[in-house]
Amino acid sequence: MRVAAFILILLVAIGYALRRGGGPERAMAVIAAFMLLSDQVLHLLSPPEYANLDHGHLAIDVFGAISTVTLALIAYRFWPMIAAALHILPLLAHLSRYLDIHLHPSAYMIMQVALSWLVPPLLMVATWRHQQRVRRNGNDRSWRGSLQQSNPPIASR
């Protein structure tokens, strides 16, 4: 039941970000959607195994970490740094499993999964804040080193 609840909350966050977010919020929505889809395909092919190093989830987590760190480096936002940290920390679970064969499977699973619950609310708040900046300023710059705005003022369209 908790997995279904998480997927539902994540899908709402993804939909909200794709519909109302700026460039970074939409990019994070695509990253999250790809990770969710990859996870579902992985679970169809093989059941989760927490007694050994989980290579499938390791690959998904490496993709998430690289993608969100890249997003944090190029987005003109603070929140992607938080998202990057949330995606890097599960790599510590995989490293712990690799280094310590005696790590309890439940601890490995919790280390791998627990922080993912923070991603949907982070994405929803980031999207809401983007909307607030657009309402207040008429635009909201999306990317570092660029004057490109995610939602230019109506008069300039």
Side-chain angles (χ1 to χ4, degrees):
M1 187 66 172
R2 72 180 184 279
V3 173
F6 173 76
I7 290 172
L8 178 63
I9 294 166
L10 183 59
L11 288 174
V12 167
I14 289 169
Y16 179 49
L18 288 174
R19 183 167 171 86
R20 310 283 273 176
E25 292 80 20
R26 290 178 179 162
M28 184 65 222
V30 170
I31 292 167
F34 181 79
M35 291 178 71
L36 177 63
L37 182 62
S38 298
D39 184 66
Q40 295 305 303
V41 169
L42 177 64
H43 287 237
L44 285 174
L45 299 175
S46 66
E49 176 62 47
Y50 298 106
N52 299 307
L53 180 63
D54 186 348
H55 292 91
H57 284 110
L58 173 60
I60 293 169
D61 290 338
V62 165
F63 166 80
I66 291 170
S67 299
T68 54
V69 166
T70 302
L71 181 61
L73 291 173
I74 64 173
Y76 194 72
R77 306 273 199 276
F78 177 77
W79 69 264
M81 288 186 270
I82 299 169
L86 293 174
H87 283 91
I88 288 170
L89 289 172
L91 295 179
L92 296 176
H94 298 295
L95 180 62
S96 297
R97 168 52 73 204
Y98 176 75
L99 295 176
D100 183 12
I101 300 301
H102 302 294
L103 180 66
H104 194 277
S106 296
Y108 181 40
M109 190 248 332
I110 290 168
M111 290 171 66
Q112 210 181 107
V113 173
L115 292 174
S116 62
W117 280 86
L118 299 175
V119 172
L122 176 65
L123 184 56
M124 286 190 265
V125 169
T127 302
W128 178 78
R129 294 275 297 131
H130 163 73
Q131 290 178 315
Q132 296 298 311
R133 287 188 298 272
V134 169
R135 269 188 230 124
R136 185 177 57 244
N137 305 326
N139 59 50
D140 188 24
R141 187 171 156 196
S142 291
W143 309 108
R144 293 185 192 280
S146 167
L147 297 177
Q148 176 189 1
Q149 298 166 350
S150 58
N151 289 341
I154 302 269
S156 68
R157 286 187 188 174

